[in-house]
């Protein structure tokens, strides 16, 4: 058995292949790695060196694999799998196992990948250069709704779907060296989170809203921190009274699939209205739509709040108000149902920013 790396020059590029010889049979595959034929700069020479190291690493892993397979002729067909076909398969798996919103993110990423000019590649063709070009496409060329550029964090989300796909391909033995390891990811930015202050929350309570159910559900979110998806599906059988004026909800988070028990204040319970049959939804008639988003914005304007407020701002409001009232970050993590404390620490940064803003208002008047 013999396994060697072969170079083939084409124009300004040197393409690397791997030749396999065993018992008179021969096969070869493209490593999907191309070197600069005549590197002139320090960067070009450094890039060539890294790519050669990558090729040697792939060669070593294949060699080990073949030695462990009793010298049988290996199946090279996997590395020739079409990337887009495999990505779509990974997307469809999310429909079965993940939340609808996560599947939606995969679907959106897939739609943008279908518009990427260099989408029709095999796994053998995916190298660091392909990934760098994909990153550039997402950040500078891809367009979202209304022809607007994608936000930085949307680019991060879509690129991570590609990363997850390549890592799964490694686990399934389609590729043996992940090119992602040689490429820096897209840097995430801190998203802006709108929230209501205590005074604004009281103003919203007093203002008229064209949709009373929407108003009750939003205020309920401000008092409980529940996501819109969990408020939307909340039923009366999940609402329990466990003492005089003591209420809690026991539910399964739609996003994380974890089961939670959350005590709720009396004001939140009152917002639910009259108790109905166990299987009925608490906020009957609540839907997510552009029309309701418009109603929400009109309601906020009537309350004297002219910022762009979405339903999710109710959850942000809950988190910020809890921290301002003295709730520690670890208790808040449990109340929000976060798996990772990093997600909760975002709200601590908001509080810190508000402190800095307040202190900067002080001066000696000079």
């Amino acid at each position: 058995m013999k396994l060697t790396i072969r170079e083939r020059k084409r124009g300004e590029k040197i393409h690397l292949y791997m030749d396999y010889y065993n018992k008179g049979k021969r096969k070869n595959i493209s490593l999907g790695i191309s070197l600069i034929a005549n590197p002139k700069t320090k960067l070009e020479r450094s890039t060539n060196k890294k790519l050669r190291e990558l090729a040697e690493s792939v060669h070593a892993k294949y060699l080990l694999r073949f030695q462990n397979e009793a010298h049988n002729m290996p199946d090279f067909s996997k590395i020739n799998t079409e990337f887009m076909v495999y990505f779509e398969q990974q997307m469809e798996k999310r429909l079965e196992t993940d939340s609808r919103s996560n599947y939606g993110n995969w679907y959106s990423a897939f739609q943008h990948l279908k518009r990427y000019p260099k989408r029709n590649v095999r796994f053998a063709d995916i190298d660091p250069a392909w990934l760098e070009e994909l990153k550039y496409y997402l950040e500078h060329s891809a367009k979202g709704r209304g022809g607007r550029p994608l936000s930085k964090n949307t680019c991060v989300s879509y690129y991570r779907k590609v990363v997850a796909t390549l890592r799964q391909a490694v686990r399934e033995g389609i590729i043996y060296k992940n090119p992602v390891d040689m490429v820096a990811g897209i840097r995430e930015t801190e998203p802006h989170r709108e929230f209501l202050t205590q005074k604004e929350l009281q103003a919203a309570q007093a203002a008229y809203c064209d949709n009373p159910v929407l108003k009750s559900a939003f205020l309920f979110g401000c008092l409980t921190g529940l996501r819109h998806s969990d408020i939307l599906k909340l039923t009366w059988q999940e609402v329990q009274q466990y003492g005089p004026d003591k209420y809690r909800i026991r539910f399964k988070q739609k996003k994380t699939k974890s089961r939670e028990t959350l005590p709720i204040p009396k004001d939140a319970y009152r917002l639910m209205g009259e108790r109905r049959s166990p299987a009925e939804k608490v906020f009957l008639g609540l839907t997510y739509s552009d029309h309701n988003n418009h109603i929400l914005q009109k309601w906020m304007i009537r309350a004297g709040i002219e910022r762009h407020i979405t339903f999710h701002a109710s959850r942000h409001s809950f988190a910020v108000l809890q921290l301002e009232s003295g709730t520690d970050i670890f208790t808040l993590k449990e109340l929000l149902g976060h798996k990772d404390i990093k997600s909760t620490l975002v709200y601590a940064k908001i509080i810190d920013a508000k402190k800095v803003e307040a202190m900067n208002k002080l001066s000696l008047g000079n």
Side-chain angles (χ1 to χ4, degrees):
M1 183 198 75
K2 188 176 181 182
L3 191 67
T4 59
I5 294 177
R6 174 169 53 88
E7 298 183 0
R8 183 177 180 183
K9 184 177 179 182
R10 287 183 181 177
E12 299 299 316
K13 296 285 186 179
I14 296 175
H15 302 279
L16 302 185
Y17 298 83
M18 193 157 55
D19 293 334
Y20 178 84
Y21 304 88
N22 188 36
K23 299 178 181 179
K25 295 181 180 180
R26 171 181 172 176
K27 279 195 175 185
N28 63 77
I29 58 171
S30 168
L31 291 179
I33 298 174
S34 300
L35 309 176
I36 300 170
N38 297 298
K40 298 177 181 178
T41 67
K42 183 178 180 180
L43 177 61
E44 289 177 342
R45 289 190 291 272
S46 174
T47 300
N48 272 9
K49 180 181 178 182
K50 289 181 179 179
L51 291 175
R52 286 189 186 279
E53 290 174 353
L54 174 62
E56 291 296 337
S57 176
V58 174
H59 171 263
K61 290 192 175 185
Y62 268 102
L63 185 61
L64 179 61
R65 175 193 173 191
F66 299 158
Q67 289 172 341
N68 292 336
E69 290 181 355
H71 308 296
N72 291 326
M73 198 68 170
D75 179 12
F76 284 108
S77 62
K78 285 185 176 182
I79 202 168
N80 290 318
T81 300
E82 293 289 337
F83 173 76
M84 289 296 289
V85 172
Y86 186 79
F87 186 96
E88 187 173 14
Q89 292 171 353
Q90 298 304 307
M91 176 187 75
E92 293 303 328
K93 287 180 181 178
R94 268 66 186 182
L95 183 60
E96 301 170 4
T97 60
D98 292 3
S99 67
R100 188 79 190 181
S101 61
N102 189 43
Y103 169 77
N105 288 336
W106 274 81
Y107 180 81
S108 296
F110 183 61
Q111 297 308 308
H112 280 282
L113 281 172
K114 287 199 296 186
R115 293 191 283 272
Y116 177 47
K118 295 188 176 182
R119 63 192 175 277
N120 295 321
V121 293
R122 305 164 303 151
F123 278 97
D125 303 319
I126 296 178
D127 59 8
W130 186 88
L131 289 169
E132 292 288 1
E133 290 183 52
L134 173 62
K135 284 166 50 183
Y136 186 89
Y137 169 77
L138 291 173
E139 293 186 89
H140 301 284
S141 302
K143 304 297 181 185
R145 291 180 181 177
R148 295 187 295 271
L150 301 180
S151 70
K152 177 68 76 170
N153 287 352
T154 297
C155 294
V156 171
S157 176
Y158 293 167
Y159 183 71
R160 283 177 178 172
K161 305 298 182 288
V162 174
V163 171
T165 300
L166 290 172
R167 285 177 177 162
Q168 183 61 31
V170 172
R171 286 191 287 269
E172 295 184 9
I174 296 173
I175 53 177
Y176 286 85
K177 179 68 176 178
N178 196 340
V180 165
D181 296 338
M182 299 186 66
V183 179
I186 301 175
R187 186 179 295 275
E188 190 171 11
T189 59
E190 194 68 64
H192 179 68
R193 288 175 168 83
E194 289 289 2
F195 59 90
L196 303 187
T197 64
Q198 183 67 48
K199 187 176 180 180
E200 288 173 334
L201 182 58
Q202 292 168 351
Q205 162 66 22
Y208 173 77
C209 179
D210 294 324
N211 186 332
V213 176
L214 175 64
K215 178 178 180 179
S216 295
F218 181 89
L219 294 175
F220 181 83
C222 291
L223 296 177
T224 63
L226 259 68
R227 297 182 179 89
H228 181 272
S229 57
D230 292 323
I231 295 175
L232 194 66
K233 69 179 184 63
L234 186 65
T235 61
W236 281 105
Q237 64 189 0
E238 295 173 309
V239 182
Q240 301 176 349
Q241 182 172 2
Y242 63 100
D245 287 333
K246 290 184 177 181
Y247 306 94
R248 66 189 177 198
I249 55 176
R250 306 188 73 176
F251 68 105
K252 183 179 181 180
Q253 286 196 97
K254 186 172 183 180
K255 182 176 182 179
T256 65
K257 308 300 182 185
S258 63
R259 295 197 172 275
E260 304 288 340
T261 299
L262 180 70
I264 61 174
K266 289 183 291 184
D267 284 348
Y269 184 77
R270 293 190 189 103
L271 288 166
M272 295 179 173
E274 186 178 349
R275 193 177 189 100
R276 297 185 297 277
S277 62
E280 277 196 82
K281 289 185 176 180
V282 172
F283 297 99
L284 199 60
L286 179 66
T287 59
Y288 182 84
S289 66
D290 289 336
H291 178 64
N292 274 345
N293 290 337
H294 181 64
I295 290 175
L296 177 60
Q297 198 60 38
K298 285 175 62 179
W299 170 36
M300 290 295 124
I301 292 172
R302 290 193 191 105
I305 304 165
E306 297 189 358
R307 304 189 307 281
H308 181 66
I309 301 296
T310 64
F311 197 101
H312 200 61
S314 64
R315 182 169 166 88
H316 298 327
S317 301
F318 169 83
V320 172
L321 292 174
Q322 283 287 342
L323 287 176
E324 286 185 333
S325 67
T327 302
D328 68 85
I329 197 73
F330 296 101
T331 300
L332 181 61
K333 171 183 175 293
E334 297 303 312
L335 291 174
L336 291 172
H338 284 159
K339 289 186 174 181
D340 192 334
I341 192 67
K342 291 180 182 178
S343 301
T344 321
L345 286 171
V346 169
Y347 298 106
K349 292 179 182 178
I350 293 174
I351 296 298
D352 289 341
K354 289 181 67 179
K355 289 178 181 177
V356 171
E357 183 182 352
M359 292 301 290
N360 285 340
K361 291 178 181 178
L362 300 178
S363 72
L364 295 175
N366 296 327

Coordinates of all heavy atoms in Angstrom, one line a residue, residues 69-126:
E69 N -7.9 -0.3 8.3 CA -9.0 -0.9 7.6 C -8.5 -2.2 6.8 O -9.0 -2.6 5.8 CB -9.6 0.0 6.6 CG -10.4 1.1 7.3 CD -11.1 2.1 6.3 OE1 -10.8 2.0 5.1 OE2 -11.8 3.0 6.7
A70 N -7.5 -2.8 7.4 CA -6.9 -4.0 6.8 C -6.6 -3.9 5.3 O -6.7 -4.9 4.6 CB -8.0 -5.1 7.0
H71 N -6.1 -2.7 5.0 CA -5.6 -2.5 3.6 C -6.6 -2.7 2.5 O -6.3 -3.0 1.4 CB -4.4 -3.3 3.4 CG -3.3 -3.2 4.4 ND1 -2.7 -2.0 4.7 CD2 -2.9 -4.1 5.3 CE1 -1.8 -2.2 5.7 NE2 -1.9 -3.5 6.1
N72 N -7.9 -2.6 2.8 CA -8.9 -2.7 1.8 C -8.9 -1.4 1.0 O -8.6 -0.3 1.5 CB -10.3 -2.9 2.4 CG -10.4 -4.4 2.9 OD1 -9.8 -5.3 2.4 ND2 -11.1 -4.5 4.0
M73 N -9.5 -1.4 -0.2 CA -9.6 -0.2 -1.0 C -10.6 0.8 -0.4 O -11.7 0.4 -0.2 CB -10.0 -0.5 -2.4 CG -9.7 0.5 -3.4 SD -7.9 0.7 -3.7 CE -7.9 1.8 -5.1
P74 N -10.2 1.9 0.1 CA -11.1 2.8 0.8 C -12.1 3.4 -0.2 O -11.9 3.5 -1.4 CB -10.2 3.9 1.3 CG -9.0 4.0 0.3 CD -8.8 2.5 -0.1
D75 N -13.2 3.9 0.4 CA -14.3 4.5 -0.3 C -14.0 6.0 -0.4 O -14.2 6.7 0.6 CB -15.6 4.3 0.3 CG -16.8 4.9 -0.4 OD1 -16.6 5.4 -1.5 OD2 -17.9 5.0 0.2
F76 N -13.6 6.5 -1.6 CA -13.4 7.9 -1.7 C -14.6 8.7 -2.1 O -14.6 9.9 -2.3 CB -12.3 8.1 -2.8 CG -10.9 7.8 -2.4 CD1 -10.3 6.7 -2.9 CD2 -10.3 8.6 -1.5 CE1 -9.0 6.4 -2.5 CE2 -9.0 8.3 -1.1 CZ -8.3 7.2 -1.6
S77 N -15.7 8.0 -2.3 CA -16.9 8.7 -2.8 C -17.5 9.7 -1.8 O -18.1 10.7 -2.2 CB -18.0 7.6 -3.1 OG -18.4 7.0 -1.9
K78 N -17.3 9.5 -0.5 CA -17.8 10.5 0.5 C -17.3 11.9 0.3 O -18.1 12.8 0.4 CB -17.5 10.0 1.9 CG -18.4 8.8 2.4 CD -18.1 8.5 3.8 CE -19.0 7.4 4.3 NZ -18.7 7.1 5.8
I79 N -16.0 12.0 0.0 CA -15.5 13.4 -0.1 C -16.0 14.1 -1.3 O -15.9 15.3 -1.5 CB -13.9 13.3 -0.1 CG1 -13.4 14.7 0.4 CG2 -13.4 12.9 -1.4 CD1 -11.9 14.7 0.7
N80 N -16.6 13.3 -2.2 CA -17.2 13.9 -3.4 C -18.6 14.3 -3.3 O -19.3 14.6 -4.2 CB -17.0 13.0 -4.6 CG -15.5 12.9 -5.1 OD1 -14.8 14.0 -5.1 ND2 -15.0 11.7 -5.4
T81 N -19.1 14.1 -2.0 CA -20.5 14.5 -1.8 C -20.8 16.0 -2.0 O -19.9 16.8 -1.7 CB -20.9 14.2 -0.3 OG1 -20.7 12.8 0.0 CG2 -22.3 14.6 0.1
E82 N -21.9 16.3 -2.7 CA -22.2 17.7 -2.9 C -22.5 18.4 -1.6 O -23.4 18.0 -0.9 CB -23.4 17.8 -3.9 CG -23.2 17.3 -5.3 CD -22.3 18.2 -6.1 OE1 -22.2 19.4 -5.7 OE2 -21.6 17.8 -7.0
F83 N -21.9 19.5 -1.4 CA -22.0 20.2 -0.1 C -23.5 20.7 0.1 O -24.0 20.6 1.2 CB -21.1 21.4 -0.1 CG -21.3 22.3 1.1 CD1 -20.9 21.9 2.4 CD2 -22.0 23.5 1.0 CE1 -21.1 22.7 3.5 CE2 -22.2 24.3 2.1 CZ -21.8 23.9 3.3
M84 N -24.1 21.3 -0.9 CA -25.4 21.8 -0.8 C -26.5 20.8 -0.5 O -27.4 21.0 0.2 CB -25.8 22.6 -2.0 CG -25.0 23.9 -2.2 SD -25.4 25.1 -0.9 CE -27.1 25.6 -1.3
V85 N -26.3 19.6 -1.1 CA -27.2 18.5 -0.8 C -27.1 18.1 0.6 O -28.1 17.8 1.3 CB -26.9 17.3 -1.8 CG1 -27.7 16.1 -1.4 CG2 -27.1 17.7 -3.2
Y86 N -25.9 18.0 1.1 CA -25.6 17.6 2.5 C -26.1 18.6 3.5 O -26.7 18.3 4.5 CB -24.1 17.3 2.7 CG -23.8 16.8 4.1 CD1 -23.9 15.4 4.4 CD2 -23.3 17.6 5.1 CE1 -23.6 14.9 5.6 CE2 -22.9 17.1 6.3 CZ -23.1 15.8 6.6 OH -22.7 15.3 7.8
F87 N -25.9 19.9 3.1 CA -26.4 21.0 4.0 C -27.9 20.9 4.1 O -28.5 21.1 5.2 CB -26.0 22.4 3.4 CG -26.3 23.5 4.3 CD1 -25.3 24.0 5.1 CD2 -27.5 24.1 4.3 CE1 -25.6 25.1 6.0 CE2 -27.8 25.2 5.1 CZ -26.9 25.7 6.0
E88 N -28.6 20.7 3.0 CA -30.0 20.6 3.0 C -30.5 19.5 3.9 O -31.5 19.6 4.6 CB -30.6 20.5 1.6 CG -32.1 20.6 1.6 CD -32.7 20.6 0.2 OE1 -31.9 20.3 -0.8 OE2 -33.9 20.9 0.0
Q89 N -29.8 18.4 3.9 CA -30.1 17.2 4.7 C -30.0 17.6 6.2 O -30.9 17.2 7.0 CB -29.2 16.0 4.4 CG -29.5 15.4 3.0 CD -28.4 14.4 2.7 OE1 -27.4 14.2 3.4 NE2 -28.6 13.7 1.5
Q90 N -28.9 18.3 6.5 CA -28.7 18.8 7.9 C -29.8 19.7 8.3 O -30.3 19.7 9.5 CB -27.4 19.4 8.1 CG -26.2 18.6 7.8 CD -26.2 17.3 8.7 OE1 -26.3 17.3 9.9 NE2 -26.1 16.1 8.0
M91 N -30.3 20.6 7.4 CA -31.4 21.5 7.7 C -32.7 20.8 8.0 O -33.4 21.1 8.9 CB -31.6 22.4 6.5 CG -32.7 23.4 6.6 SD -33.0 24.3 5.0 CE -33.8 23.0 4.0
E92 N -33.0 19.8 7.2 CA -34.2 19.0 7.4 C -34.2 18.3 8.7 O -35.3 18.1 9.3 CB -34.4 18.1 6.2 CG -34.7 18.8 4.9 CD -35.9 19.7 4.9 OE1 -36.9 19.4 5.7 OE2 -35.9 20.7 4.3
K93 N -33.1 17.8 9.2 CA -33.0 17.2 10.5 C -33.4 18.1 11.6 O -34.0 17.7 12.6 CB -31.6 16.7 10.7 CG -31.1 15.5 9.9 CD -29.7 15.1 10.2 CE -29.3 13.9 9.4 NZ -27.9 13.5 9.7
R94 N -33.1 19.4 11.4 CA -33.5 20.4 12.5 C -35.1 20.5 12.5 O -35.6 20.9 13.6 CB -32.9 21.8 12.1 CG -31.6 22.0 12.8 CD -30.5 21.1 12.3 NE -29.3 21.3 13.0 CZ -28.2 20.6 12.7 NH1 -28.1 19.8 11.7 NH2 -27.1 20.8 13.4
L95 N -35.7 20.3 11.4 CA -37.2 20.4 11.4 C -37.8 19.3 12.3 O -38.8 19.5 13.0 CB -37.7 20.2 10.0 CG -39.2 20.3 9.8 CD1 -39.7 21.7 10.2 CD2 -39.6 20.1 8.4
E96 N -37.1 18.2 12.5 CA -37.6 17.1 13.3 C -37.2 17.2 14.7 O -37.9 16.7 15.6 CB -37.0 15.7 12.7 CG -37.4 15.5 11.3 CD -36.6 14.3 10.7 OE1 -35.9 13.7 11.4 OE2 -36.7 14.0 9.5
T97 N -36.0 17.8 15.0 CA -35.5 17.8 16.4 C -35.4 19.1 17.1 O -35.4 19.2 18.3 CB -34.0 17.2 16.4 OG1 -33.2 18.0 15.5 CG2 -34.0 15.8 15.8
D98 N -35.3 20.2 16.3 CA -35.1 21.6 16.9 C -36.4 22.4 16.9 O -37.4 21.9 16.4 CB -34.0 22.3 16.2 CG -32.7 21.7 16.4 OD1 -32.6 20.6 17.1 OD2 -31.7 22.2 15.9
S99 N -36.3 23.6 17.5 CA -37.5 24.5 17.5 C -37.7 25.0 16.1 O -36.8 24.9 15.2 CB -37.2 25.6 18.4 OG -36.2 26.5 17.9
R100 N -38.9 25.5 15.8 CA -39.3 26.0 14.5 C -38.4 27.2 14.2 O -38.0 27.3 13.0 CB -40.7 26.4 14.5 CG -41.3 26.8 13.2 CD -41.6 25.6 12.3 NE -41.9 25.9 11.0 CZ -42.2 25.0 10.0 NH1 -42.3 23.8 10.4 NH2 -42.5 25.4 8.8
S101 N -38.1 28.0 15.2 CA -37.2 29.2 14.9 C -35.8 28.8 14.4 O -35.2 29.4 13.6 CB -37.2 30.1 16.1 OG -36.6 29.4 17.2
N102 N -35.2 27.7 15.1 CA -33.9 27.3 14.7 C -33.9 26.7 13.3 O -33.0 27.0 12.5 CB -33.4 26.3 15.6 CG -31.9 25.9 15.4 OD1 -31.1 26.8 15.2 ND2 -31.5 24.7 15.4
Y103 N -35.0 26.0 13.0 CA -35.1 25.5 11.6 C -35.2 26.6 10.6 O -34.6 26.6 9.5 CB -36.3 24.6 11.5 CG -36.7 24.2 10.0 CD1 -35.9 23.3 9.3 CD2 -37.7 24.9 9.3 CE1 -36.2 23.0 8.0 CE2 -38.0 24.6 8.0 CZ -37.2 23.6 7.4 OH -37.5 23.4 6.0
G104 N -35.9 27.7 11.0 CA -36.1 28.8 10.2 C -34.8 29.5 9.9 O -34.5 30.0 8.8
N105 N -33.9 29.5 10.9 CA -32.5 30.1 10.7 C -31.7 29.3 9.7 O -31.0 29.8 8.8 CB -31.8 30.2 12.0 CG -32.3 31.3 12.9 OD1 -32.9 32.2 12.5 ND2 -32.1 31.1 14.2
W106 N -31.8 28.0 9.8 CA -31.2 27.1 8.9 C -31.7 27.3 7.5 O -31.0 27.3 6.5 CB -31.3 25.6 9.3 CG -30.3 25.2 10.3 CD1 -30.3 25.4 11.6 CD2 -29.1 24.4 10.0 NE1 -29.2 24.8 12.2 CE2 -28.4 24.2 11.2 CE3 -28.5 23.9 8.8 CZ2 -27.2 23.6 11.3 CZ3 -27.3 23.3 8.9 CH2 -26.6 23.1 10.1
Y107 N -33.0 27.4 7.4 CA -33.7 27.6 6.1 C -33.2 28.9 5.4 O -32.9 28.9 4.2 CB -35.2 27.6 6.2 CG -35.9 27.8 4.9 CD1 -36.1 26.7 4.1 CD2 -36.4 29.0 4.6 CE1 -36.8 26.9 2.9 CE2 -37.1 29.2 3.4 CZ -37.3 28.1 2.5 OH -38.0 28.3 1.3
S108 N -33.2 30.0 6.2 CA -32.7 31.3 5.7 C -31.3 31.2 5.2 O -30.9 31.7 4.2 CB -32.9 32.3 6.8 OG -34.2 32.5 7.1
A109 N -30.4 30.5 6.0 CA -29.0 30.3 5.6 C -28.9 29.6 4.3 O -28.1 29.9 3.4 CB -28.3 29.6 6.7
F110 N -29.7 28.6 4.2 CA -29.8 27.8 2.9 C -30.1 28.6 1.7 O -29.5 28.5 0.7 CB -30.7 26.6 3.1 CG -30.8 25.6 1.9 CD1 -29.6 24.9 1.5 CD2 -31.9 25.4 1.2 CE1 -29.7 24.1 0.5 CE2 -32.0 24.6 0.2 CZ -30.8 23.9 -0.2
Q111 N -31.1 29.5 1.9 CA -31.6 30.3 0.8 C -30.4 31.3 0.4 O -30.2 31.5 -0.8 CB -32.8 31.1 1.2 CG -34.0 30.3 1.5 CD -34.4 29.3 0.4 OE1 -34.5 29.7 -0.7 NE2 -34.5 28.1 0.8
H112 N -29.7 31.8 1.3 CA -28.6 32.7 1.0 C -27.4 31.9 0.3 O -26.8 32.4 -0.6 CB -28.1 33.4 2.2 CG -28.9 34.6 2.5 ND1 -28.8 35.8 1.9 CD2 -29.9 34.8 3.5 CE1 -29.7 36.6 2.4 NE2 -30.4 36.0 3.4
L113 N -27.2 30.7 0.8 CA -26.2 29.8 0.2 C -26.5 29.5 -1.3 O -25.6 29.4 -2.1 CB -26.0 28.5 1.0 CG -25.2 28.6 2.3 CD1 -25.3 27.3 3.0 CD2 -23.7 28.9 2.0
K114 N -27.8 29.3 -1.6 CA -28.2 29.0 -2.9 C -27.9 30.2 -3.9 O -27.9 30.0 -5.1 CB -29.7 28.7 -3.0 CG -30.0 27.3 -2.4 CD -31.4 26.8 -2.8 CE -32.5 27.6 -2.4 NZ -33.8 27.0 -2.7
R115 N -27.7 31.4 -3.3 CA -27.4 32.6 -4.1 C -25.9 32.8 -4.2 O -25.4 33.8 -4.9 CB -28.2 33.8 -3.6 CG -29.7 33.7 -3.8 CD -30.4 35.0 -3.5 NE -30.5 35.3 -2.1 CZ -31.5 34.9 -1.4 NH1 -32.5 34.2 -1.9 NH2 -31.5 35.2 -0.1
Y116 N -25.1 32.1 -3.4 CA -23.7 32.2 -3.4 C -23.1 31.7 -4.7 O -23.4 30.5 -5.0 CB -23.1 31.5 -2.2 CG -21.6 31.5 -2.1 CD1 -20.9 32.7 -2.2 CD2 -20.9 30.3 -1.8 CE1 -19.5 32.7 -2.1 CE2 -19.5 30.4 -1.7 CZ -18.8 31.5 -1.8 OH -17.5 31.6 -1.7
P117 N -22.4 32.5 -5.4 CA -21.9 32.1 -6.8 C -21.1 30.8 -6.7 O -21.1 30.0 -7.7 CB -21.0 33.3 -7.2 CG -21.6 34.4 -6.5 CD -22.0 33.9 -5.1
K118 N -20.3 30.5 -5.7 CA -19.5 29.3 -5.6 C -20.1 28.2 -4.8 O -19.4 27.4 -4.1 CB -18.1 29.6 -5.1 CG -17.4 30.6 -6.0 CD -15.9 30.8 -5.6 CE -15.1 31.6 -6.6 NZ -13.7 31.8 -6.2
R119 N -21.5 28.1 -4.8 CA -22.2 27.1 -4.0 C -22.0 25.7 -4.5 O -22.1 24.7 -3.6 CB -23.7 27.5 -3.9 CG -24.3 27.4 -5.3 CD -25.7 28.0 -5.3 NE -26.3 28.0 -6.6 CZ -26.1 28.9 -7.6 NH1 -25.2 29.9 -7.3 NH2 -26.7 28.8 -8.7
N120 N -21.9 25.5 -5.7 CA -21.9 24.1 -6.3 C -20.5 23.4 -6.2 O -19.8 23.3 -7.1 CB -22.4 24.1 -7.7 CG -23.8 24.6 -7.9 OD1 -24.7 24.2 -7.0 ND2 -24.1 25.4 -8.9
V121 N -20.2 23.0 -5.0 CA -18.9 22.4 -4.7 C -19.1 21.1 -4.0 O -20.1 20.8 -3.4 CB -18.0 23.3 -3.8 CG1 -17.6 24.6 -4.6 CG2 -18.7 23.6 -2.5
R122 N -18.1 20.2 -4.1 CA -18.0 19.0 -3.4 C -17.2 19.3 -2.1 O -16.6 20.3 -2.0 CB -17.3 17.9 -4.2 CG -17.9 17.6 -5.5 CD -16.9 16.8 -6.4 NE -15.7 17.6 -6.5 CZ -14.5 17.0 -6.7 NH1 -14.4 15.7 -6.7 NH2 -13.4 17.7 -6.8
F123 N -17.3 18.4 -1.1 CA -16.5 18.6 0.1 C -15.0 18.6 -0.2 O -14.3 19.3 0.4 CB -16.8 17.5 1.1 CG -18.1 17.7 1.9 CD1 -19.3 17.2 1.6 CD2 -18.0 18.6 3.0 CE1 -20.4 17.4 2.3 CE2 -19.1 18.8 3.8 CZ -20.3 18.3 3.4
A124 N -14.6 17.9 -1.3 CA -13.2 17.9 -1.7 C -12.8 19.3 -2.1 O -11.6 19.6 -2.1 CB -13.0 16.9 -2.8
D125 N -13.7 20.1 -2.6 CA -13.3 21.5 -3.1 C -13.3 22.6 -2.0 O -12.9 23.7 -2.3 CB -14.3 21.9 -4.2 CG -14.4 20.9 -5.3 OD1 -13.3 20.4 -5.7 OD2 -15.5 20.6 -5.8
I126 N -13.8 22.2 -0.8 CA -14.0 23.3 0.2 C -12.6 23.4 1.0 O -12.1 22.4 1.6 CB -15.1 22.9 1.2 CG1 -16.4 22.9 0.5 CG2 -15.1 23.9 2.4 CD1 -17.6 22.5 1.4

